[in-house]
Amino acid sequence: MSDLVISTSKLTKEYIRDEFKVVALRDADLEVRRGDFVALMGPSGSGKSTLLHLTAAMDRPTSGTINVLGSDLNSLSDSAIARWRNRHVGFVFQSFNLIPVLTALENVELPLKLTHLKKGERIQHAATALRLVGLGERLGHFPRQLSGGEEQRVAIARAIVTDPDILLCDEPTGNLDARSAQEVLALISTLNKEHGKTIVMVTHDPHAAHHAARIRYLDKGELLPDGSKPQDWN
Amino acid sequence: MRFLPLIVKNCLRNRRRSVLTVASLSISLCLLGVLMALYYALFFGGPAKAQARRIVTRHKVSIVFQMPIYYREQIRKVAGVEEVAIWQWYGGVYKDSRDQRNFFPRLGVEADRLFKIYQDYRIPEDQKQAFMRDPAGCVVGRSLANRFGFQVGDKILIKGDIFPFDLDLTIRGIFETSEGSDEALWFNFKYLENALHDSSRLAAGTFTLLARSPEDVPRICREVDALFANSPAPTKTESEYAFGLSFLSFLGNIKVILMSICGAVTFTILLISANTMAMSVRERVREVGVLKTLGFQAGTILWLILAESGLIAMIGGAIGLAVAQLLCLVIRQGPAIVDQTKTLSIQPPVFAALVGVSLFIGVASAIAPAWSAARQNIVDALRFTD
């Protein structure tokens, strides 16, 4: 397999909002190599999350091509995309998005229910993922019984439990205090450096972005060339 | 099966709402169960075992018209008829007619033939003999005796309204039956013969026949009616089961009434359940987005929501069925409008129909929100705010 994990060409996404056409992303060309850690930065509405969603095949582009791990995402059916996402992509949300009625262990086990693993194996994998994020003692806790930082670590465990090739993080520290944010960023860095995960992280926070090996900026729906950033960006 | 814990936990997500939904489903399905049991008992259950050989002959025009008592001997000659007995409705007033609780059937019967035809009715032999010997004797059903506290040897005075004389009776026995109604008083037909003085005024309200076998019943009905087809008092002969059902027709078209109520109940439960499921799914739009992000396919999401709704409906149905069975037990103990209510129960076809209705309600109530959630775009679902 090529070293190129994510490759987009002239990727464009337009929305219709109240009869008006909104261009969320215009002609984005992004390349991410295996083991890379890329931070996507930019002001609100610049298209960061849109690019991340398109990369995870959570949405379809209006035009352009997107190739992830050798698959042309435009050519896959909805069910094939769902299987592909389960196998290859882990996604971490800003607001954790844990299922409140499930324990930490059950939340992490959830993506494994779509695999052929038996219950015992699923539990074992989920427990291992939770131990990896430092929550080995919190398996039976419900989300409401965890702090924000712990919830996000459960979410990260859920994202990595299927051992995906790519980890996509959408503002993973956006809802956390400084200390928890630091712990989560350290964890994400560890997953990149020690476990070789390819990571694309959307963030507003320059401090968070500096954990990444590369930072790409977006502005008004355009992905700026490597090394450049918006003029009014501090 | 691997999703069952998730389905169960989703059912218990909002416990109060789930409990209320299950309760409303239970009550509705219990009502539906009793109505369906009644419908089945009346129109599909067929006669009770002991009733299968009994036939009733009445005046073709109406039950209020009489037939000559000599019909009995002609009916007796029809092949397959083992016994014939006259029944005569007396009517009358017990204590105070304004109090409906004082109403119960009072019928003149041929005591010597009666228990040959009603072999399933139980009465001690000495009481039966005393009844047959005493022209002013009567027997009462166990339920009636319990209601009024009647004892053997008690005197009962019934004031005549149809007939120009009163009945001064002595209770000679108490009979019991497990399948038919025993809320009745039967007095000796000889009382009428003696009181009327003129035997030409004697007539029969109905004849009850005992056929040799249930298979003979349709033929006997035809042959008896053919006997009197051109007489001044033509007859209508039918099984006792059908005769009992004909009383229900006085209330209207029972089939349509029962079916209408069943339909209304089902539709109402469907609306309640659909409203609940729509609320439940709406609260979880974001979660649907999360599940899809994890790789859940639209079909799996659809199935999960339908299974959740189906499970709630099945729990409601199971409780409703259990309560309906208890209600049937209560109805069996109460006064019988028709004999079938004395054996009312949730029969296997009714059970299967109720399980089917529960499942239908579960699936039908959730199909629209489940379909909508399953087809929801992930990004839109994640951005959804209630």
Side-chain angles (χ1 to χ4, degrees):
Chain A
M1 190 185 285
S2 161
D3 204 29
L4 204 57
V5 174
I6 301 168
S7 168
T8 71
S9 173
K10 296 200 175 298
L11 199 63
T12 300
K13 180 66 186 178
E14 296 170 353
Y15 295 103
I16 303 294
R17 291 274 183 266
D18 299 328
E19 300 175 8
F20 296 104
K21 189 167 77 177
V22 178
V23 181
L25 190 69
R26 182 184 294 119
D27 296 333
D29 297 326
L30 175 70
E31 288 190 348
V32 178
R33 299 191 176 277
R34 186 169 297 280
D36 213 349
F37 185 175
V38 179
L40 297 177
M41 291 194 76
S44 294
S46 60
K48 311 182 294 292
S49 293
T50 302
L51 180 55
L52 201 69
H53 291 153
L54 292 173
T55 307
M58 291 158 68
D59 208 355
R60 300 269 189 183
T62 309
S63 63
T65 60
I66 177 162
N67 196 299
V68 182
L69 294 162
S71 297
D72 176 8
L73 299 188
N74 288 345
S75 66
L76 297 180
S77 67
D78 286 347
S79 55
I81 277 183
R83 284 193 297 273
W84 174 87
R85 198 186 300 117
N86 177 253
R87 204 168 297 147
H88 298 294
V89 177
F91 203 96
V92 179
F93 301 93
Q94 178 179 351
S95 50
F96 327 134
N97 282 336
L98 299 178
I99 309 295
V101 292
L102 301 180
T103 63
L105 188 69
E106 289 165 336
N107 264 289
V108 177
E109 185 202 355
L110 211 46
L112 296 176
K113 284 183 182 275
L114 301 171
T115 67
H116 296 296
L117 293 176
K118 292 195 171 80
K119 185 174 173 63
E121 295 171 312
R122 295 201 303 267
I123 298 294
Q124 197 179 352
H125 278 66
T128 304
L130 279 167
R131 275 194 286 274
L132 188 68
V133 299
L135 291 174
E137 305 300 314
R138 300 282 201 150
L139 305 184
H141 286 64
F142 287 94
R144 65 177 180 276
Q145 296 167 323
L146 301 171
S147 68
E150 287 171 330
E151 278 195 81
Q152 192 60 298
R153 281 193 276 159
V154 174
I156 292 171
R158 182 178 65 183
I160 62 171
V161 73
T162 53
D163 193 21
D165 300 285
I166 309 168
L167 190 61
L168 303 174
C169 309
D170 192 1
E171 304 265 13
T173 58
N175 282 11
L176 301 178
D177 59 71
R179 186 175 167 187
S180 298
Q182 188 53 43
E183 286 172 1
V184 165
L185 288 168
L187 179 59
I188 291 172
S189 291
T190 304
L191 290 170
N192 172 247
K193 286 174 184 157
E194 294 182 16
H195 298 272
K197 297 290 171 200
T198 306
I199 297 173
V200 178
M201 179 175 71
V202 164
T203 183
H204 268 110
D205 180 7
H207 174 71
H210 281 109
H211 282 77
R214 283 198 294 145
I215 301 175
R216 294 294 302 269
Y217 292 92
L218 290 101
D219 188 28
K220 295 172 186 165
E222 289 188 18
L223 183 65
L224 302 182
D226 217 347
S228 56
K229 58 168 128 176
Q231 287 180 341
D232 54 351
W233 190 262
N234 295 321
Chain B
M1 281 301 288
R2 60 175 51 198
F3 293 114
L4 189 61
L6 179 62
I7 292 165
V8 171
K9 291 204 170 190
N10 275 334
C11 287
L12 298 173
R13 179 180 289 255
N14 187 328
R15 287 175 194 228
R16 184 185 299 169
R17 184 171 60 203
S18 296
V19 166
L20 289 173
T21 306
V22 166
S24 63
L25 283 165
S26 304
I27 293 166
S28 307
L29 286 164
C30 164
L31 177 62
L32 193 64
V34 172
L35 289 172
M36 286 172 76
L38 193 60
Y39 189 94
Y40 183 84
L42 292 176
F43 304 111
F44 294 102
K49 191 181 171 189
Q51 197 184 26
R53 290 165 61 204
R54 289 199 287 265
I55 298 169
V56 175
T57 296
R58 63 173 174 87
H59 197 287
K60 187 176 181 179
V61 176
S62 166
I63 197 165
V64 299
F65 293 103
Q66 313 278 298
M67 293 169 292
I69 56 172
Y70 67 79
Y71 275 18
R72 181 183 58 202
E73 296 314 314
Q74 288 180 256
I75 292 169
R76 183 70 182 82
K77 288 175 188 165
V78 172
V81 175
E82 285 195 346
E83 191 54 88
V84 185
I86 295 169
W87 289 72
Q88 179 61 58
W89 178 265
Y90 175 79
V93 175
Y94 176 65
K95 289 185 178 173
D96 183 358
S97 62
R98 288 169 298 185
D99 186 348
Q100 290 204 339
R101 284 173 299 182
N102 289 328
F103 175 79
F104 52 88
R106 299 121 197 172
L107 296 136
V109 299
E110 293 184 289
D112 51 338
R113 302 169 197 266
L114 182 79
F115 290 105
K116 290 180 189 170
I117 296 174
Y118 288 86
Q119 292 165 7
D120 53 314
Y121 282 56
R122 299 179 299 278
I123 184 169
E125 188 57 32
D126 59 323
Q127 293 182 11
K128 184 163 74 176
Q129 294 301 327
F131 174 45
M132 287 196 282
R133 278 196 304 271
D134 181 5
C138 70
V139 290
V140 293
R142 170 61 62 195
S143 302
L144 189 67
N146 290 345
R147 175 143 67 107
F148 289 100
F150 292 147
Q151 305 269 342
V152 173
D154 284 358
K155 290 277 190 184
I156 298 180
L157 181 69
I158 309 287
K159 289 183 183 171
D161 48 10
I162 302 170
F163 288 86
F165 53 86
D166 299 340
L167 296 179
D168 190 0
L169 304 169
T170 306
I171 296 174
R172 295 299 178 194
I174 295 172
F175 64 87
E176 292 179 10
T177 175
S178 51
E179 293 188 332
S181 169
D182 59 359
E183 286 238 343
L185 178 150
W186 298 340
F187 64 92
N188 212 316
F189 190 71
K190 285 177 188 155
Y191 198 112
L192 294 179
E193 288 179 349
N194 296 340
L196 282 169
H197 304 300
D198 179 3
S199 61
S200 65
R201 291 171 63 192
L202 267 178
T206 59
F207 295 99
T208 300
L209 294 61
L210 183 69
R212 190 179 297 129
S213 72
E215 290 72 34
D216 288 329
V217 170
R219 179 185 54 77
I220 291 172
C221 291
R222 284 194 303 273
E223 290 186 12
V224 169
D225 287 344
L227 272 177
F228 311 109
N230 297 314
S231 71
T235 58
K236 180 175 182 183
T237 306
E238 57 197 341
S239 66
E240 191 187 59
Y241 170 66
F243 178 73
L245 285 184
S246 68
F247 282 92
L248 277 181
S249 64
F250 296 149
L251 301 173
N253 191 333
I254 294 297
K255 273 189 181 179
V256 171
I257 292 170
L258 284 178
M259 290 297 284
S260 304
I261 298 172
C262 287
V265 170
T266 308
F267 186 65
T268 307
I269 317 168
L270 192 61
L271 291 182
I272 293 168
S273 188
N275 184 46
T276 306
M277 282 314 295
M279 280 166 54
S280 176
V281 173
R282 189 177 168 80
E283 286 169 5
R284 277 184 280 158
V285 171
R286 277 179 70 91
E287 279 180 31
V288 168
V290 174
L291 290 177
K292 284 186 151 189
T293 304
L294 297 179
F296 281 68
Q297 295 186 29
T300 312
I301 304 275
L302 181 79
W303 186 87
L304 282 174
I305 296 170
L306 290 182
E308 180 187 332
S309 175
L311 183 62
I312 288 175
M314 292 303 282
I315 292 170
I319 296 171
L321 259 169
V323 179
Q325 187 68 287
L326 288 175
L327 268 181
C328 286
L329 189 68
V330 172
I331 292 169
R332 285 209 296 269
Q333 310 302 319
I337 302 167
V338 287
D339 286 353
Q340 282 69 29
T341 59
K342 297 301 276 186
T343 54
L344 194 68
S345 66
I346 305 291
Q347 296 294 317
V350 175
F351 179 87
L354 278 173
V355 170
V357 168
S358 303
L359 207 55
F360 166 76
I361 287 167
V363 172
S365 62
I367 191 76
W371 178 257
S372 171
R375 293 190 54 81
Q376 181 106 30
N377 175 280
I378 298 178
V379 175
D380 290 340
L382 291 171
R383 284 181 182 149
F384 182 85
T385 48
D386 198 10

